[in-house]
Amino acid sequence: MKRLVAAAIMAAATATPALAADADGPVFDNGPVWDYSMIQTKDGHFDDYMSWLSTAWKAQEEALKKAGVILDYKVLLVASPRAGEPDIILAQEYKNMAVFDRTPAEEYALQAKISGGLPKANAEQAARGAIRTILGDMLVREAVLK
């Protein structure tokens, strides 16, 4: 009987640190990853850029969703941007960071499928430089609170 009580006390003593570790654990889990591109349209070209977004860019994002690369995308308009700030933010939601671990060959193949090849994509990217400036990009992970 004494051995049974001693075993119960030992079991309780070893379980206590495990319970304490849970209490000291994180209060959040990793959520989806968001990529935000900050865009500043050039004077007089806001509507031109929005037109491009609603056609070619939207088609690209839908193709990325269909391919399982992104979960969602959004176009966010900045109210009263100050000098040097974006007036448009493009957001893409990814399931996790693993989606970025693709080979360059896989990236190029997907780009070719979506836009018809790298030379065409590069030419179109350069042409958009006349109507917008990319101010920066921010990659963030959402923290899902427990």
Side-chain angles (χ1 to χ4, degrees):
M1 182 72 159
K2 287 182 183 180
R3 287 184 189 181
L4 186 57
V5 171
I9 291 171
M10 286 299 289
T14 57
T16 302
L19 294 174
D22 288 343
D24 292 335
V27 295
F28 68 94
D29 281 325
N30 287 336
V33 174
W34 284 89
D35 182 42
Y36 297 101
S37 298
M38 280 67 79
I39 308 297
Q40 185 178 61
T41 56
K42 295 193 177 176
D43 289 344
H45 290 287
F46 177 83
D47 289 327
D48 296 332
Y49 195 69
M50 290 300 292
S51 178
W52 176 77
L53 288 175
S54 69
T55 56
W57 187 79
K58 182 178 179 182
Q60 168 189 287
E61 299 307 292
E62 289 295 329
L64 290 171
K65 275 179 81 170
K66 185 176 180 183
V69 176
I70 65 172
L71 299 175
D72 200 8
Y73 62 94
K74 298 188 182 312
V75 176
L76 307 169
L77 302 180
V78 177
S80 303
R82 296 171 288 205
E85 292 183 342
D87 55 339
I88 299 172
I89 298 173
L90 305 178
Q92 295 172 305
E93 181 183 19
Y94 299 88
K95 180 179 180 182
N96 54 38
M97 290 287 193
V99 73
F100 299 105
D101 197 21
R102 292 189 311 262
T103 67
E106 291 170 319
E107 292 283 335
Y108 277 55
L110 182 59
Q111 183 65 37
K113 183 178 178 182
I114 292 172
S115 67
L118 191 59
K120 181 181 178 204
N122 286 341
E124 291 172 353
Q125 176 83 355
R128 284 190 302 281
I131 62 173
R132 59 94 173 104
T133 301
I134 300 173
L135 298 178
D137 192 81
M138 184 180 297
L139 190 66
V140 298
R141 183 192 300 266
E142 187 176 327
V144 179
L145 301 177
K146 291 183 181 179

